[in-house]
Amino acid sequence: MLQKILQLSSSPVFYRYAGNLTKVLSFLGPVLIILAIFLGFFRAPTDAQQGEIYRIIYVHVPAAWMSMFLYVVATGYAIIFWVWRTSVSAVMMRALLPTGAWMTFLALITGSLWGKPTWGTYWVWDARLTTELLLLFIYLGLLAIGNVVQDKTKTDKAISIITILGLFNIPLISFSVVFWNTLHQGFSIGATSASMNPYIKFSLIVSTIGFWFLCSAITLTRARGLLLEREVDSGWVRDIFAMGNNK
């Protein structure tokens, strides 16, 4: 396992591996999301309290989970970059940020649409909503730094440090319903959740896996592009362009 991880730190090995993996994930992700939406909308029952509006859960919950998960993974790559300074860790750290920002934005928008009929308003300064909004600002700040500063070496260092520091917000989002008195419901899925209908739980799990696959495919595709741009003068990149021109 360690040898495989070390191999993936090599730019050409990562590029090839990511390309093969992207083909699989970009197919499975949409298929699972469509399956989850079909099951959630046509097989899962109507909620007794919220009616049909609860079905937004199949987009809102996976997006919210992915917004936090992608940031944690980006932090992992930020730490790897700070220790070993590899090109792969730098591009993966950068590639995760736009996808994470979009997932955060999607979670906030779908949460607002869900909140209007259930809470009577699109937005309240609830602890979970506020910390999720803070996460979006952190994502946007990191993206701004990456676009403003032209020196990639300095930018990579700045992004890695700020990403690591921004990790404090993830536990706040996760446990905000525990730390504070909030309107947002707590954890509703798990081994001890007997109240959730099996169709709802299964559809939510399938949708989450589909979102994870799709986000991974998008991130890897972006990382491959960044890697080519960063190492355009290296031999393995010239070989790739030469092979493409010969086809």
Side-chain angles (χ1 to χ4, degrees):
M1 177 63 72
L2 180 59
Q3 185 178 4
K4 186 67 175 179
I5 295 175
L6 293 175
Q7 288 177 348
L8 289 176
S9 65
S10 167
S11 296
V13 173
F14 172 83
Y15 184 87
R16 183 174 62 253
Y17 178 81
N20 295 331
L21 188 58
T22 299
K23 295 176 183 177
V24 178
L25 296 177
S26 60
F27 171 76
L28 291 178
V31 169
L32 291 176
I33 292 174
I34 292 172
L35 174 61
I37 291 175
F38 172 78
L39 293 174
F41 276 77
F42 298 103
R43 290 292 183 266
T46 302
D47 186 79
Q49 295 181 332
Q50 300 185 50
E52 300 293 345
I53 189 63
Y54 92 94
R55 299 185 194 276
I56 204 170
I57 190 177
Y58 305 116
V59 176
H60 173 70
V61 172
W65 285 347
M66 289 307 303
S67 70
M68 294 183 286
F69 176 74
L70 291 173
Y71 193 90
V72 172
V73 177
T75 303
Y77 277 107
I79 295 172
I80 293 173
F81 169 77
W82 193 252
V83 176
W84 287 286
R85 303 294 172 89
T86 64
S87 295
V88 171
S89 60
V91 299
M92 279 299 295
M93 175 183 64
R94 285 173 173 259
L96 284 157
L97 298 177
T99 309
W102 276 112
M103 287 297 104
T104 309
F105 178 75
L106 182 59
L108 289 169
I109 292 298
T110 53
S112 296
L113 295 175
W114 193 358
K116 178 60 176 177
T118 55
W119 295 345
T121 180
Y122 289 109
W123 181 266
V124 292
W125 290 102
D126 179 86
R128 175 157 289 182
L129 274 66
T130 303
T131 50
E132 185 74 7
L133 180 62
L134 176 59
L135 178 61
L136 178 61
F137 289 153
I138 294 173
Y139 271 125
L140 294 178
L142 290 168
L143 290 172
I145 293 172
N147 291 327
V148 170
V149 183
Q150 298 299 320
D151 190 328
K152 287 186 173 60
T153 302
K154 293 182 179 178
T155 308
D156 290 340
K157 293 178 181 178
I159 291 176
S160 63
I161 293 174
I162 298 173
T163 300
I164 294 170
L165 294 176
L167 185 64
F168 80 93
N169 191 47
I170 301 302
L172 293 181
I173 298 174
S174 301
F175 299 103
S176 57
V177 293
V178 178
F179 295 155
W180 295 285
N181 183 21
T182 126
L183 291 173
H184 201 288
Q185 70 183 61
F187 301 107
S188 58
I189 184 170
T192 61
S193 179
S195 61
M196 181 174 286
N197 181 276
Y199 268 117
I200 299 177
K201 179 182 290 189
F202 180 72
S203 301
L204 185 56
I205 292 173
V206 172
S207 180
T208 301
I209 296 174
F211 266 76
W212 181 63
F213 283 173
L214 185 59
C215 288
S216 298
I218 294 171
T219 298
L220 290 174
T221 300
R222 185 180 294 112
R224 293 176 84 226
L226 291 173
L227 200 58
L228 288 178
E229 179 183 350
R230 184 171 294 231
E231 302 194 9
V232 65
D233 295 326
S234 62
W236 70 272
V237 175
R238 289 197 296 268
D239 292 341
I240 289 176
F241 284 120
M243 291 174 59
N245 294 330
N246 292 332
K247 291 183 179 179

